């Protein structure tokens, strides 16, 4: 669908790369961390998504001939542009598994490559991972509430242009069952789903006739939209007539769809009409500005809705719209590196790292992840990353490293899991997260700390920069 | 950059098209309106964008062989899928000019084609036009405040995946001067711009040395980021040293960039340090979570900032994130068509239409657009579209039709204007919009009404559906 090349980047990556190139630093090694600072939606967790799209792209990413010709028209040194013509990423990447439950501050992914390579891939890495993680997280929140109800993505028309393609995919990682987006369905093997538009009914002189044509032509896959003129006086009665005609032909109406008005009220009234007509097998689908909060309300009212179609609020990750994921230098030219900020919370954490998740005695997440030096194996105590006197003993917890090598020498080390496998992993991991982190209102804060060794290293670097 | 094909659509478009096809309605004509219901950002206007990208795509849009093979695996009739293999859009489109100042309710674009054609292009039309209009509108709001200051788009890393490509372009329509997004710069001929990242400085043992390398290697295009360690004690003094060294070589430091802290405070302090060093030509660029409101505050404080770099809030159209543009059937099978809703505001307006903009005696927009029947030429009175007893005489105003034929028989009737021409048109049109519609707080509401003739037609259709 997309022809990404390495000009899908910010200019400054190229400007910096040119300086490194002209200074003879083409072999200088660097380590960058990818992490975010704020969990979206004021929530208690996020779902990491987009990794395998990114890795597959990265294996083949280069500058096209057209790119090179363009760069020669810009303010670059010709020898540098010629170097870019053969550029390929040949580094190493360690990352959490795609679908993992992740938290703020903690590195989700670490790139180890030449500093030129690491810079040139920064923008596309952030662009793809930030967005898919944002949407998978949104979808997983909706899934937590909708439970076993069917969830369909209807958002493409309001998506941020071609961003909608990845939104449909990330929604499945978060727990959606299908999408109306045919191209995403085709490319990612997602069940495609859809009903009919008001225009179909309007184009006929009679709603009944429109329903009838739809039912005879799509006997196995018929959902009738019942709110074009009057839901209870016209739409549902006509749907019932057509359902009876379908029964006479040995077919079954799948569902009706409500797309306006008070969905709880219309669902209950429609359910009654359908049941009274002996059509208890006909499902009810609902759409119209749904999000996790509207669905929570509908579920609490026991609205007899079987299928939720979610559009805009899902695919644009409303209200946040962006994950604030960043990519920060942790090591370069043989030394740990830091960026100082007036607030410790924005001071970066140096060094190659590992992240340990701790487990309680029941095998659930204990509520504490520890960022450690790469070579550490078991953590005794973790320290609050920004508040100097807070710490927590974690020695007694089972600990599991979260960062695994996913790319070596520019090649993926394993084949990509299927979308369904990623979704299953998300489901399994979320089941280990205690409820208090999943609630929408003031969720419990999952602790992310740093090991004693890493804290000493960071504080030493801060002191050396202060002098 | 993108290989859009006609599977970039919602499944229901294909489901409905199959019914039309199997019912022999391949020649049935329909007319659809594209319009939005709510101006984004609680603003007083929107800027129409994305038209020419859409038209260029549409001229060549088809199903690929891979698409056809995929559709044959889904629940479709084989004769219908074979029909799709040769499908091309051959209809007519009338639209406002790209860059036009537009308002809610009023059709911005009208598609007249076979109903199958009109349905199959709906999703991609909405997807592209909604998003670019959202971003061009955001950018134009920022431009209104920033006036002659330089505006740069730095948003790609936080954009909604590949949506960022079009965001960078739409920003220019709205008034931005350049982008960090190299691929958009290349494809749309936008000046590319950028500075350096904190990582560049961190990768050196000394900030001064990092600045020096950057300056010697990019003598014509050097902007130094001064907040990695300590803006006033380290960053700016080092930048001054390097600027002096550049002067000695006959070069000039372009600017410094501030990316954290209180931008007004640091800009003023930095300006003083630069001026005292005889470097009044060195500009100050600022970035970090900017939007039209932060820039308004900085401007009101007379912060000495010359260049604003705007990222996330621009490219995701924060806080709205989506324009609620819709595509509604107005005419089909030789008859005007309507969708009734419980509220008149969501009842659609039938018929082929024209939109007239009215001008006051100074040649400015008078604050009233009239939606009329296509064949009307001058409007006497306009009626509030939803409130039955409100009307306004407009006979005395100069009136200008806004919808022009842009595509005929599936081909564009004119070559696409350049991005710079579209931006110039936006600028000229916005200059005709009185100030009270441009303010951010409770802007005056631009009136959009319907002509007497159109009102009569709509009310007649509503009555006939009520019976």
């Amino acid at each position: 669908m997309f022809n990404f090349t390495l000009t899908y980047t910010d200019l400054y990556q190229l400007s910096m790369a040119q300086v490194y190139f002209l200074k003879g630093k083409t072999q200088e090694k660097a380590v960058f961390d990818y992490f975010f600072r704020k969990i979206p939606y004021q929530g208690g967790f996020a779902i990491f998504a987009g990794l395998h799209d990114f890795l597959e792209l990265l294996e083949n990413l280069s500058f096209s001939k057209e790119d090179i010709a363009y760069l020669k028209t810009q303010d670059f040194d010709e020898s540098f542009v010629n170097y870019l013509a053969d550029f390929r990423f040949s580094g190493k990447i360690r990352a959490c598994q795609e679908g993992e439950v992740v938290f703020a501050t903690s590195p989700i992914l670490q790139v180890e490559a030449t500093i030129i390579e690491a810079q040139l891939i920064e923008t596309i890495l952030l662009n793809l991972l930030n967005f898919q993680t944002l949407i998978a997280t949104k979808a997983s929140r909706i899934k937590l509430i909708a439970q076993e109800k069917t969830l369909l993505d209807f958002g493409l028309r309001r998506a941020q242009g071609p961003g909608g393609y990845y939104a449909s995919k990330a929604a499945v990682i978060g727990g959606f069952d299908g999408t109306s987006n045919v191209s995403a369905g085709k490319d990612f093997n997602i069940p495609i789903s859809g009903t009919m538009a008001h225009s179909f009914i309007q184009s006929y002189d009679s709603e009944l006739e429109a329903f009838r044509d739809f039912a005879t032509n799509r006997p196995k896959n018929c959902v009738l939209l019942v709110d074009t003129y009057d839901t209870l006086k016209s739409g549902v009665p006509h749907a019932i007539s057509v359902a009876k005609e379908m029964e006479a032909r040995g077919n079954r109406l799948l569902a009706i769809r409500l797309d306006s008005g008070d969905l709880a009220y219309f669902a209950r009234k429609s359910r009654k009409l359908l049941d009274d007509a002996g059509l208890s097998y006909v499902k009810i689908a609902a759409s119209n500005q749904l999000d996790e909060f509207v669905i929570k309300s509908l579920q609490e009212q026991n609205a007899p809705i079987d299928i939720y179609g979610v559009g805009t609020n899902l695919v644009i990750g409303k209200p946040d719209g962006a994950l604030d994921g960043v990519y920060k230098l942790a090591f370069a030219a043989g030394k740990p590196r830091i960026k100082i900020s007036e607030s410790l919370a924005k001071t970066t954490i140096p060094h190659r790292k590992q992240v340990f998740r701790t487990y309680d005695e029941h095998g659930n997440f204990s509520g504490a992840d520890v960022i450690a030096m790469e070579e550490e194996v078991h953590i005794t105590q973790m320290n609050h990353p920004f508040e100097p006197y807070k710490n927590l003993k974690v020695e007694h917890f089972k600990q599991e490293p979260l960062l695994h090598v996913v790319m070596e020498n520019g090649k993926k080390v394993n084949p990509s899991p299927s979308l369904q496998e990623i979704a299953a992993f998300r489901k399994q991991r979320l089941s280990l997260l205690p409820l208090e982190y999943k609630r929408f209102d003031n969720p419990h804060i999952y602790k992310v700390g740093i090991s004693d060794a890493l804290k000493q290293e960071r504080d030493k670097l801060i002191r050396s920069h202060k002098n």
Side-chain angles (χ1 to χ4, degrees), chain A residues 28 200 208 227 245 274 293:
Chain A
E28 182 165 310
F200 184 83
L208 182 61
D227 71 338
E245 294 168 13
L274 290 166
F293 300 102

Side-chain angles (χ1 to χ4, degrees), chain A residues 142-429:
Chain A
I142 297 171
K143 178 65 181 170
L144 282 175
I145 285 299
Q147 298 183 327
E148 297 312 311
K149 304 291 179 83
T150 298
L151 287 173
L152 303 176
D153 150 40
F154 286 171
L156 185 57
R157 61 191 51 207
R158 301 279 169 78
Q160 298 207 343
Y165 179 74
Y166 287 122
S168 297
K169 190 206 142 206
V172 175
I173 293 175
F176 271 58
D177 299 289
T179 182
S180 68
N181 181 341
V182 181
S183 59
K186 171 171 77 69
D187 293 353
F188 298 119
N189 191 26
I190 306 169
I192 50 175
S193 189
T195 65
M196 64 190 345
H198 295 115
S199 59
F200 184 83
I201 295 149
Q202 287 172 263
S203 80
Y204 283 76
D205 292 333
S206 127
E207 188 183 54
L208 182 61
E209 196 192 329
F211 283 3
R212 202 169 267 151
D213 270 12
F214 203 80
T216 53
N217 279 295
R218 299 191 62 74
K220 289 181 293 182
N221 219 330
C222 183
V223 180
L224 300 172
L225 177 62
V226 294
D227 71 338
T228 305
Y229 302 116
D230 188 309
T231 302
L232 299 176
K233 289 186 190 150
S234 166
V236 177
H238 287 153
I240 288 171
S241 302
V242 168
K244 292 291 175 187
E245 294 168 13
M246 291 178 79
E247 280 185 353
R249 293 192 299 273
N251 295 317
R252 282 188 154 197
L253 176 63
L254 274 190
I256 60 167
R257 176 161 75 106
L258 304 167
D259 187 43
S260 59
D262 188 301
L263 295 174
Y265 170 83
F266 283 112
R268 214 177 302 283
K269 291 283 184 182
S270 301
R271 184 74 272 160
K272 177 88 169 51
L273 291 172
L274 290 166
D275 289 350
D276 290 352
L279 296 168
S280 56
Y281 63 82
V282 175
K283 291 188 159 65
I284 297 181
S287 53
N288 194 22
Q289 302 294 331
L290 299 182
D291 64 12
E292 64 269 50
F293 300 102
V294 177
I295 293 174
K296 182 165 188 276
S297 165
L298 290 167
Q299 295 281 91
E300 285 166 357
Q301 297 170 73
N302 290 314
I305 296 169
D306 308 288
I307 301 162
Y308 292 109
V310 189
T312 315
N313 294 313
L314 168 68
V315 298
I316 66 170
K318 188 110 179 174
D320 294 59
L323 180 78
D324 72 350
V326 293
Y327 183 80
K328 294 292 177 188
L329 184 70
F331 205 90
K335 292 182 194 168
R337 302 286 170 169
I338 198 166
K339 180 197 173 299
I340 311 280
S341 175
E342 318 234 329
S343 84
L344 195 53
K346 291 193 88 177
T347 295
T348 63
I349 305 172
H351 277 289
R352 285 185 191 82
K353 305 179 185 75
Q354 182 52 274
V355 178
F356 291 94
R357 178 145 299 167
T358 61
Y359 289 82
D360 69 16
E361 65 276 25
H362 307 293
N364 292 319
F365 299 165
S366 77
D369 280 3
V370 195
I371 313 169
M373 306 280 286
E374 188 185 17
E375 59 277 12
E376 294 189 77
V377 288
H378 194 88
I379 311 302
T380 311
Q381 168 178 290
M382 73 180 211
N383 305 280
H384 193 289
F386 317 127
E387 296 186 30
Y389 302 109
K390 278 191 174 175
N391 53 49
L392 185 74
K393 292 267 173 275
V394 294
E395 190 170 14
H396 55 295
F397 289 133
K398 188 190 146 205
Q399 300 178 3
E400 178 194 26
L402 296 185
L403 298 178
H404 306 281
V405 177
V406 292
M407 178 168 270
E408 192 97 67
N409 302 317
K411 295 289 160 204
K412 295 178 57 181
V413 297
N414 290 307
S416 297
S418 72
L419 195 50
Q420 289 66 31
E421 286 167 333
I422 298 168
F425 181 70
R426 184 266 316 150
K427 184 178 177 181
Q428 185 252 318
R429 297 297 278 180

